[in-house]
Amino acid sequence: MSDTQPISEAGRAALQVVLAHPDQTMLALDFDGTLAPIVDDPALAHVDPDALSALSRLGSLLGSIVVITGRPVRTAVRLGGFGEAEGLRSMTVLGQYGVERWDADGDHYDLPPAPPGIAQVNEELPGLLAGLGLAGSRIEDKGRAVAVHTRGLADPASAFDRLAEPIRELALRCGLTVEPGKNVWEIRATGIDKGDAMRAIVAEKDAQTVIFAGDDLGDLPAFEAVEQLRTEGIRGLLICSASHEEDALTEHADLVLDGPTGVAAWLHQLADRLTGNYG
């Protein structure tokens, strides 16, 4: 296996601390585009089996493993196969940007009710899309959020751009906010993002070193949170799961990997180094 090292001094320093003190390390990851490949139908976006096996290896080696995703937490746990995987007793999944939670220890879910305004979005969205000639867009009801995917259209990028203003206006009328992703607009409640979730879980787990891997704009707040934590004495290693569709995180990352397959390979490499099987 090739030796994939961080390109920044801060990233290299963080990795050395991870290797020296894995029990004080929190590994946090996005779901879609990082652990699972991006596919046309989000209901079929299962975690890469190699990534799951790597997480199972790391579960007994690191202090904690956390997934932070915009997906409903039950969906992420199901598509991830996390509940059935060996070695993941230390895992926590934060869904809907941190509002929902699942802890593997005890198979415990915390699921607050959906915010006001989501029902109105679901009611108005089909007519809005039809009026724009984008009725072929896929609507994904996440319970606490609603996503509009343009991936299956003839020109996904153009449709994504055309939707920007109408989607923001709809969200504003409903008292909600908008989160852009890879050919997807998501309307959700205001008040929390992946950066907030990151800071809270780092404090809860008392992590001294944090690895975070993400792939698109929705992960930028988590990147910024780790950068801020560095100024407070927490070591941080930022990983971009790169793709041809989105490069917003590349310039912020300490390490750029080739999508979910690259992330899975690097996680196995990390497990090898921690168990002395590297070389």
Side-chain angles (χ1 to χ4, degrees):
M1 182 181 294
S2 62
D3 186 16
T4 308
Q5 295 288 343
I7 58 175
S8 70
E9 182 178 346
R12 290 191 295 270
L15 180 57
Q16 290 307 308
V17 177
V18 170
L19 297 174
H21 303 286
D23 60 314
Q24 300 177 13
T25 298
M26 187 182 82
L27 170 64
L29 311 105
D30 170 49
F31 189 93
D32 292 284
T34 302
L35 288 174
I38 299 292
V39 295
D40 288 344
D41 185 351
L44 302 178
H46 294 273
V47 163
D48 185 312
D50 284 340
L52 185 59
S53 67
L55 292 178
S56 294
R57 294 178 65 195
L58 290 167
S60 62
L61 301 172
L62 301 177
S64 57
I65 296 178
V66 179
V67 172
I68 307 177
T69 175
R71 281 184 178 268
V73 72
R74 286 193 183 277
T75 302
V77 172
R78 176 176 56 81
L79 291 176
F82 302 136
E84 297 78 35
E86 296 291 333
L88 292 181
R89 191 174 181 82
S90 67
M91 173 176 271
T92 296
V93 179
L94 302 176
Q96 302 279 325
Y97 301 90
V99 177
E100 299 180 348
R101 175 169 179 154
W102 172 77
D103 289 289
D105 189 6
D107 189 28
H108 177 72
Y109 286 90
D110 184 5
L111 304 169
I118 290 296
Q120 183 180 344
V121 169
N122 276 316
E123 182 178 340
E124 293 189 26
L125 200 49
L128 183 151
L129 295 174
L132 292 169
L134 300 174
S137 302
R138 182 188 297 273
I139 299 174
E140 181 186 5
D141 184 355
K142 298 184 174 185
R144 295 185 53 85
V146 182
V148 181
H149 299 265
T150 64
R151 183 174 306 279
L153 301 180
D155 190 344
S158 175
F160 176 85
D161 291 341
R162 287 177 60 198
L163 275 173
E165 194 58 34
I167 287 288
R168 288 193 173 99
E169 290 176 356
L170 175 59
L172 183 63
R173 287 201 313 276
C174 298
L176 302 168
T177 191
V178 173
E179 190 82 43
K182 293 179 179 176
N183 292 320
V184 58
W185 290 103
E186 183 168 311
I187 301 176
R188 62 181 181 84
T190 60
I192 190 168
D193 60 25
K194 289 187 180 182
D196 301 316
M198 174 65 75
R199 291 187 64 88
I201 198 70
V202 167
E204 176 191 321
K205 302 292 185 181
D206 194 25
Q208 300 304 302
T209 307
V210 181
I211 303 169
F212 179 71
D215 75 310
D216 68 10
L217 287 170
D219 298 309
L220 187 56
F223 266 51
E224 293 170 344
V226 173
E227 289 169 348
Q228 177 62 36
L229 287 167
R230 283 172 169 170
T231 70
E232 301 169 13
I234 304 294
R235 298 281 188 175
L237 172 57
L238 291 168
I239 299 174
C240 172
S241 174
S243 76
H244 67 279
E245 292 184 346
E246 180 66 72
D247 62 359
L249 300 182
T250 303
E251 63 184 72
H252 300 278
D254 305 303
L255 178 61
V256 178
L257 301 173
D258 186 15
T261 56
V263 171
W266 188 85
L267 293 174
H268 274 296
Q269 184 183 99
L270 177 60
D272 288 342
R273 297 184 74 169
L274 291 172
T275 56
N277 296 320
Y278 182 81

